[in-house]
Amino acid sequence: MNRKKGIFFGFIAIISTVFILFIIIMQNGFNSSPTVAQKDSEQIHSKEETDKEVEIEGESDLETVDKKQEEDSPTPSKDSKVETKSTEETDPKEEAQVEVDKKQEPVTYSNQFVRVSSLNVRQGPGVDSEVIGILKINQAIQASDSATEDGWVQMKTNNISGYVNTKYLSDQKVAVQKVAKAASTESEQNSTQNADTNAKETKQETSEKQDGKEEETQKTENPVPKQNDADKLKTIDGNNQLILVTSDGYGTSSARVQTYERTAEGNWKQLLDVSGFVGKNGFADNKVEGDGKTPIGKYTIGHAFGRAGNPGTKLSYRAITPDDVWVDDSNSSLYNSWQSKAETSDQWSSAENMDIALYTHGFVINYNTAQTPGKGSAIFFHIANGYTLGCVGVSESNVVSILKWLDPKKNPVIIQTPTSGLGNY
């Protein structure tokens, strides 16, 4: 009986304990869980403070990261500091570079004039660069304001651009007939500016004034005609038409081609002054067959030829056919002559085909008419847009113009030489 009572009261105690624990747990849950009204109220307040909390958390995170970086890198580099401020500041070196870039300006040009009889235009700044054109005296060009240490500058015209040397340029056109005198006057002016005031200076100034008056008188009363290249020649008294082919030296294929005709007064009048071409290896004093050089000398004009009909020349004219060749075999008796391939092919081992585009218009230069073996053959004046193999070439329009102008009655000749050799003729 007592045992049953003990079990009963023990069971009651356990149930009571469980109930009390349940009550306590429920009370704690009620206090910790907000009501709907409380949740709404909290949401209203939390909504207003969300941004501030995010900012605070963000700043806290940044501070944490900064502290961690400082711990990992006790001595932070300048680069890391610059990166941190990259959105607000610019590296002073970068700003300096930007300023340098801003100060770099494009090439500027100014007007200049050629002060020599002919001037080579080169592909690059130096005498080793290829000649791509020729300028004539007093020709206006645009030259860059900056030059290399050797005086080379960029230049351009409507037709060509390249490099020339400033020592051959001038701010003003050259008075060709009084170049020497102008140079002397310039020297006197420079001396006057640099010398002390003395009797010599006074004498120079007086002389300059007198020279100026003399020049003015000559211009007004008795103007002196300009001297051209033809006026310098001494071997053309019996000729009234002249083709003058010159270059700056023996080793260039670029040339200057001028035509002159004698007036009724006996003076030489220039009619044409254009760029042209000679052999790819320049001029030769003693030409050899196949050397790629143009022979220097004074030669008469032979017959005209072409594939498109006579353009209106007064020279005797021969039309080219597909059968025509010019024999260049030094061992042949037909060397340096125009022949029919079909009729003479067994008499030579080498000949040049005449039916080509470069010979659409042209004329024969009477070179090696004695047919001396190995001395060169087939020297013509024809169409060319670049170097030849020994002939003289200009544009097609200029070839036609010269053909129409040439008149056998005026005993025309062609002189081929570097400019330095003009005195020989």
Side-chain angles (χ1 to χ4, degrees):
M1 186 68 179
N2 289 332
R3 184 179 178 206
K4 290 180 179 181
K5 286 181 180 180
I7 292 171
F8 175 76
F9 285 116
F11 180 77
I12 295 298
I14 290 170
I15 291 174
S16 299
T17 302
V18 171
F19 180 77
I20 292 170
L21 290 173
F22 177 77
I23 296 297
I24 293 171
I25 289 171
M26 290 298 291
Q27 287 179 349
N28 289 338
F30 179 81
N31 292 333
S32 62
S33 300
T35 65
V36 174
Q38 289 175 331
K39 288 182 179 179
D40 292 340
S41 177
E42 288 174 359
Q43 287 177 353
I44 292 171
H45 291 289
S46 64
K47 205 168 187 180
E48 297 174 352
E49 298 177 356
T50 299
D51 294 338
K52 293 182 179 179
E53 291 175 357
V54 171
E55 292 176 358
I56 293 171
E57 288 176 0
E59 292 175 356
S60 177
D61 291 341
L62 288 174
E63 290 176 357
T64 303
V65 171
D66 291 339
K67 288 180 180 179
K68 187 173 182 180
Q69 290 177 346
E70 291 175 359
E71 290 174 359
D72 294 339
S73 304
T75 56
S77 65
K78 294 181 180 180
D79 293 337
S80 63
K81 292 181 180 180
V82 172
E83 289 175 0
T84 305
K85 299 180 180 180
S86 62
T87 57
E88 297 177 2
E89 299 180 359
T90 303
D91 189 343
K93 293 181 179 180
E94 293 179 355
E95 290 180 351
Q97 184 61 41
V98 171
E99 290 299 323
V100 171
D101 292 341
K102 288 181 179 179
K103 290 180 181 179
Q104 292 178 349
E105 298 179 353
V107 178
T108 57
Y109 292 84
S110 59
N111 290 326
Q112 294 286 309
F113 297 92
V114 178
R115 67 181 186 88
V116 291
S117 60
S118 64
L119 176 60
N120 282 341
V121 179
R122 297 188 179 270
Q123 193 171 32
V127 293
D128 295 332
S129 296
E130 182 182 354
V131 176
I132 58 175
I134 296 178
L135 304 174
K136 60 183 181 179
I137 193 167
N138 286 334
Q139 184 172 347
I141 66 169
Q142 290 285 307
S144 65
D145 296 328
S146 58
T148 65
E149 292 182 358
D150 298 330
W152 291 90
V153 293
Q154 289 180 275
M155 60 72 58
K156 59 184 180 180
T157 67
N158 292 333
N159 301 320
I160 192 171
S161 62
Y163 289 82
V164 295
N165 200 290
T166 53
K167 65 183 179 181
Y168 302 119
L169 302 179
S170 174
D171 294 335
Q172 297 179 348
K173 288 186 176 181
V174 178
V176 179
Q177 75 277 21
K178 296 178 182 178
V179 172
K181 190 170 186 178
S184 175
T185 304
E186 181 179 358
S187 175
E188 290 176 0
Q189 289 175 345
N190 291 337
S191 299
T192 302
Q193 292 174 356
N194 297 327
D196 296 331
T197 303
N198 50 34
K200 185 178 180 179
E201 180 181 15
T202 304
K203 185 176 180 180
Q204 287 175 338
E205 290 176 351
T206 303
S207 176
E208 287 175 352
K209 290 179 180 179
Q210 291 174 348
D211 289 344
K213 290 180 179 179
E214 290 176 1
E215 289 179 4
E216 262 185 0
T217 302
Q218 288 177 353
K219 289 179 181 178
T220 304
E221 298 179 358
N222 188 24
V224 178
K226 292 182 178 181
Q227 188 179 37
N228 53 46
D229 288 340
D231 292 328
K232 303 173 185 177
L233 305 180
K234 303 175 182 178
T235 64
I236 54 176
D237 291 343
N239 308 106
N240 293 317
Q241 285 187 333
L242 168 68
I243 301 174
L244 186 58
V245 183
T246 57
S247 70
D248 282 346
Y250 279 87
T252 177
S253 62
S254 297
R256 179 186 182 191
V257 179
Q258 304 174 70
T259 61
Y260 293 91
E261 183 159 334
R262 196 186 298 276
T263 65
E265 293 77 18
N267 300 318
W268 284 104
K269 179 182 179 182
Q270 186 187 68
L271 302 178
L272 193 67
D273 188 355
V274 297
S275 297
F277 303 94
V278 293
K280 67 177 181 179
N281 295 321
F283 277 120
D285 288 320
N286 296 295
K287 180 171 175 59
V288 177
E289 183 68 45
D291 61 2
K293 296 181 179 181
T294 298
I296 67 168
K298 175 185 174 183
Y299 307 104
T300 57
I301 307 299
H303 61 267
F305 57 76
R307 306 190 310 160
N310 190 335
T313 183
K314 299 179 184 68
L315 300 174
S316 61
Y317 184 84
R318 182 170 178 177
I320 294 174
T321 70
D323 181 53
D324 292 325
V325 295
W326 195 282
V327 179
D328 55 14
D329 178 6
S330 296
N331 296 319
S332 171
S333 60
L334 301 178
Y335 179 60
N336 195 28
S337 65
W338 186 327
Q339 299 294 331
S340 164
K341 181 177 181 180
E343 296 176 2
T344 63
S345 60
D346 59 339
Q347 301 180 49
W348 43 262
S349 60
S350 175
E352 180 179 348
N353 181 20
M354 294 293 290
D355 190 17
I356 61 175
L358 295 180
Y359 299 161
T360 299
H361 298 290
F363 61 83
V364 176
I365 297 173
N366 288 332
Y367 169 77
N368 192 20
T369 54
Q371 297 176 288
T372 303
K375 194 170 178 62
S377 61
I379 304 302
F380 307 141
F381 192 104
H382 62 74
I383 298 168
N385 295 313
Y387 65 77
T388 71
L389 296 180
C391 300
V392 177
V394 293
S395 68
E396 181 172 3
S397 61
N398 286 324
V399 173
V400 172
S401 176
I402 292 172
L403 281 171
K404 291 180 178 180
W405 163 72
L406 284 170
D407 185 351
K409 295 179 180 179
K410 296 183 179 180
N411 197 18
V413 291
I414 183 169
I415 293 177
Q416 306 171 168
T417 177
T419 304
S420 59
L422 284 173
N424 297 325
Y425 303 95

